[in-house]
Amino acid sequence: MCGIVGAVSASNIVPLLVEGLKRLEYRGYDSCGVAVHQGGGLRRARSTARVAELQAQVAADGIAAGTGIAHTRWATHGEPAVRNAHPHFSAGPGAAAAGAEAPGLVALVHNGIIENHDELRAELSARGYVFTSQTDTEVIAHLVHHHYQGDLLEAVQQALPRLRGAYAIAVFCRDEPQRVVGARQGSPLVLGVGTGERAGEHFLASDPMALAGVTDQIVYLDEGDVVDLQIGKRWISAPDGAGRFRPVERPVRTVQAHSGAAELGPYRHYMQKEIFEQPKAVADTLDGVHEVSPELFGDGAWRVFKAVDRVLILACGTSSYAGLAARQWIESIAGLPASVEIASEYRYRDSVPDPRTLVVTISQSGETADTLAALKHARALGMPHTLTVCNVATSAMVRECALNFVTRAGPEIGVASTKAFTTQLVGLYLLALALAQVRGRLTREQEAAELRDLRHLPMALQAVLALEPQVIAWSEEFARKDHALFLGRGLHYPIALEGALKLKEISYIHAEAYPAGELKHGPLALVTSAMPVVTVAPNDALLEKLKSNMQEVRARGGELYVFADADTHIDSGPGLRVIRLPEHYGALSPLLHVVPLQLLAYHTACARGTDVDKPRNLAKSVTVE
């Protein structure tokens, strides 16, 4: 959530900052802004419109400089308004009252949440600092100003111990041109090192993608790091536990940030593009998987898998639904008991730890704050065996876990996750197979059959995508609805959950999912002809039970929209619409059935005219609690 870009250069870096914001806008789009050191002072432009409008504003105002910071915001503290937009200035005690643009000494941008901001605000107000926003971020700017005695690095290092919560910050000072200081604790921040024509330049960003095409030389800052950037120079320091900071070295890595991923090509939205990228994403994720082996998850995985006798899955949102599917795979294929916990709840309740548990985290970004905190909590309880399924090889989640499976979905720009979800399912299915192999529950013949099915998935997904015209026809009806129910059974209940989430995320239609057998225990009271009931109907062992649940809906005048396998013998009729998937795919069927649900949500949102890629109140990569 939120995006940071900063730079120190001898040439104008404003176009670079704005371009970086465009690449990060999916992480927060309630407001945006840029601040630079220009004409001996600080200048800024801020907007509650999109980055494209900010770009025009910057050009009209003639903002250009070699030192600057920029930010795109997902609102936490304070409404989306210009006064709450970053960057924030601090002009010192007694500065002009709210609404006036006082000359700034310090400019700062921030991702994260400062939990003790009320306490600090009261303290700084008593010292004469005037607050012009509702944000927790302005507290940091004033605190850095309070400690400033001519050295920005020292001021930041003195301010940081006062902060409780999560942050990534970038800050610069009017009195120290060509210098930017950054710091991180609980929120991601990377340092970019200029090369070639940009040798000597340095950059900050919350995601390397912001620097695509600028530099591929990236330093991932560790928790607690503070970085001091100047032209031709950089220093990184970290707290030593005794209230001081010591110099540290962090490796420079070559990172391909996939700048082309930000190009829409022939698609109308990134979400549509990413739905149609799923066959390739799954194929790429399976590339190099020639056999089922624990070593797919890292060195020493066989020993860990042999040592565990249960699995605990920690995740949030869409990833938690992947976890619910994985629970059934792990129990049915590997014979291990498995449980799924919502990460944001797990660490705040009393649980019973078991050191023989494999703790599995699932995250698209690998920076999800709640999941990282839950992982650390599980370890603190005495569960050392950890594994993550994640889409970013350089993420905090991968670094924190002993084992990992990195999916290869590529950058996912649309806020509503699609290809990340299906590739997570692939990684989790492989995990279930590997656990089964270690426990002697997977024969050579079974392994060969499973690998054949996995390799056929991209082709099967392509066939499902060909159903788009039929789904579009349904979406025109859904666009006129205000509520919907989604039903599934067994492995496909998590897919129903995901379908409902997608619909409400981007179309703003209220949607809920239930195990179909629970329909008569309450939700049936909602069923009328105005309430569409979407049903996931694969040809599995629960099909006849599901047909009975569908009859309960029809008997109450409900309208059924059924995604069925070709051989389920469910035919369209009054109150019953059917789209047939090309084939039944056994245990891997959830990967196919989720695709038409994604398409239904997407085309319904298009028909309703919502902002598909940037749904209201949401953002990608949830790095705050």
Side-chain angles (χ1 to χ4, degrees):
M1 286 182 165
C2 302
I4 287 174
V5 192
V8 177
S9 169
S11 59
N12 179 25
I13 46 77
V14 172
L16 179 154
L17 297 178
V18 172
E19 185 61 31
L21 287 188
K22 287 181 179 178
R23 294 201 180 106
L24 296 181
E25 193 171 18
Y26 71 105
R27 297 177 68 127
Y29 35 86
D30 291 324
S31 62
C32 53
V34 60
V36 300
H37 192 289
Q38 184 177 8
L42 305 186
R43 295 191 65 194
R44 68 179 169 186
R46 299 183 293 175
S47 174
T48 55
R50 296 293 164 81
V51 175
E53 282 76 13
L54 177 70
Q55 185 176 26
Q57 182 181 337
V58 165
D61 293 346
I63 295 177
T67 300
I69 54 178
H71 189 267
T72 181
R73 177 176 184 249
W74 182 79
T76 55
H77 296 70
E79 63 184 348
V82 171
R83 67 191 178 105
N84 292 324
H86 301 211
H88 288 284
F89 283 178
S90 178
E101 182 76 0
L105 177 73
V106 169
L108 183 141
V109 294
H110 161 230
N111 291 351
I113 289 178
I114 304 304
E115 295 172 356
N116 61 332
H117 70 98
D118 282 336
E119 170 193 330
L120 292 171
R121 180 182 287 256
E123 176 187 319
L124 290 161
S125 294
R127 294 180 182 274
Y129 285 89
V130 176
F131 285 83
T132 63
S133 78
Q134 302 165 307
T135 68
D136 54 342
T137 300
E138 194 177 3
V139 167
I140 315 173
H142 288 325
L143 191 61
V144 170
H145 183 285
H146 171 66
H147 287 287
Y148 185 72
Q149 298 293 327
D151 189 306
L152 183 62
L153 177 63
E154 289 183 3
V156 171
Q157 289 176 336
Q158 290 176 43
L160 293 180
R162 298 294 313 279
L163 305 179
R164 292 201 309 269
Y167 56 80
I169 64 170
V171 55
F172 71 99
C173 179
R174 179 194 65 202
D175 295 345
E176 298 183 71
Q178 298 183 326
R179 188 183 200 187
V180 173
V181 173
R184 67 153 299 200
Q185 181 69 50
S187 289
L189 192 67
V190 302
L191 155 66
V193 181
T195 60
E197 294 181 355
R198 294 194 175 274
E201 299 178 348
H202 289 105
F203 312 94
L204 284 176
S206 48
D207 189 313
M209 190 165 69
L211 304 178
V214 177
T215 181
D216 61 359
Q217 299 300 292
I218 301 295
V219 177
Y220 288 87
L221 300 177
D222 282 1
E223 291 285 276
D225 280 357
V226 180
V227 59
D228 184 359
L229 303 183
Q230 300 181 38
I231 295 179
K233 303 174 184 177
R234 67 178 187 271
W235 296 269
I236 302 175
S237 58
D240 63 3
R244 294 182 297 272
F245 284 79
R246 56 180 175 79
V248 294
E249 293 290 333
R250 304 291 183 222
V252 179
R253 305 183 187 185
T254 300
V255 175
Q256 299 300 323
H258 305 289
S259 59
E263 302 300 326
L264 265 176
Y267 298 99
R268 185 176 173 186
H269 298 96
Y270 287 110
M271 183 179 179
Q272 184 186 28
K273 176 187 178 188
E274 288 155 9
I275 290 171
F276 277 83
E277 286 177 340
Q278 288 177 113
K280 182 179 186 302
V282 167
D284 289 346
T285 298
L286 288 167
D287 187 37
V289 178
H290 305 298
E291 61 180 355
V292 174
S293 168
E295 304 312 308
L296 291 171
F297 300 87
D299 294 339
W302 189 91
R303 175 185 54 79
V304 171
F305 290 1
K306 193 72 174 174
V308 300
D309 51 25
R310 64 181 56 247
V311 176
L312 168 64
I313 298 171
L314 303 172
C316 298
T318 286
S319 294
S320 73
Y321 300 152
L324 288 172
R327 178 184 67 183
Q328 299 205 36
W329 286 331
I330 290 167
E331 292 194 340
S332 63
I333 298 172
L336 279 174
S339 60
V340 182
E341 294 269 4
I342 301 297
S344 57
E345 292 292 321
Y346 170 69
R347 65 184 172 122
Y348 293 116
R349 73 173 187 84
D350 294 330
S351 57
V352 181
D354 182 345
R356 292 180 61 84
T357 297
L358 177 63
V359 179
V360 177
T361 64
I362 312 171
S363 170
Q364 186 279 136
S365 67
E367 304 289 349
T368 308
D370 287 318
T371 309
L372 281 167
L375 168 66
K376 293 173 183 177
H377 177 68
R379 281 205 309 249
L381 291 177
M383 294 186 284
H385 303 306
T386 58
L387 182 152
T388 190
V389 175
C390 178
N391 193 40
V392 182
T394 53
S395 66
M397 204 79 71
V398 171
R399 296 195 299 271
E400 289 282 344
C401 287
L403 303 172
N404 65 78
F405 184 88
V406 177
T407 59
R408 297 176 65 183
E412 190 177 62
I413 306 299
V415 166
S417 181
T418 52
K419 62 178 180 174
F421 177 72
T422 47
T423 53
Q424 285 171 354
L425 290 176
V426 169
L428 292 163
Y429 193 77
L430 287 168
L431 175 62
L433 294 177
L435 288 167
Q437 184 188 71
V438 168
R439 294 170 62 82
R441 293 171 60 97
L442 188 70
T443 66
R444 285 285 187 184
E445 292 75 15
Q446 289 170 327
E447 177 184 349
E450 295 285 5
L451 289 171
R452 281 195 301 272
D453 287 345
L454 284 165
R455 293 190 185 107
H456 182 61
L457 269 176
M459 187 179 300
L461 287 166
Q462 201 69 55
V464 175
L465 288 167
L467 299 172
E468 185 181 33
Q470 298 177 56
V471 177
I472 292 173
W474 282 12
S475 70
E476 293 168 357
E477 299 177 32
F478 268 75
R480 298 190 293 270
K481 307 296 184 180
D482 295 315
H483 308 276
L485 287 177
F486 285 68
L487 303 179
R489 298 202 72 147
L491 263 174
H492 295 80
Y493 168 52
I495 300 309
L497 284 166
E498 175 63 5
L501 177 62
K502 285 293 158 285
L503 188 68
K504 57 189 162 190
E505 275 183 314
I506 61 172
S507 75
Y508 315 145
I509 293 172
H510 173 240
E512 300 296 337
Y514 290 90
E518 285 295 291
L519 189 65
K520 55 186 172 291
H521 295 289
L524 196 57
L526 297 172
V527 171
T528 69
S529 59
M531 172 77 81
V533 180
V534 181
T535 306
V536 183
N539 189 12
D540 60 14
L542 292 171
L543 177 62
E544 294 307 316
K545 300 288 186 185
L546 183 64
K547 287 181 177 179
S548 297
N549 302 139
M550 291 165 55
Q551 290 301 323
E552 295 166 0
V553 173
R554 296 186 75 182
R556 274 78 181 177
E559 296 286 328
L560 281 162
Y561 295 78
V562 183
F563 291 104
D565 287 342
D567 50 0
T568 53
H569 304 295
I570 300 173
D571 298 315
S572 296
L576 175 61
R577 299 163 180 81
V578 180
I579 291 178
R580 298 188 186 283
L581 274 66
E583 58 185 312
H584 176 56
Y585 221 63
L588 288 167
S589 174
L591 280 94
L592 302 188
H593 273 274
V594 76
V595 174
L597 298 181
Q598 295 168 348
L599 289 169
L600 179 63
Y602 171 73
H603 286 291
T604 300
C606 289
R608 288 170 68 96
T610 64
D611 193 337
V612 172
D613 288 329
K614 299 180 177 68
R616 68 187 181 203
N617 305 331
L618 302 179
K620 198 79 168 174
S621 185
V622 185
T623 57
V624 297
E625 184 178 357

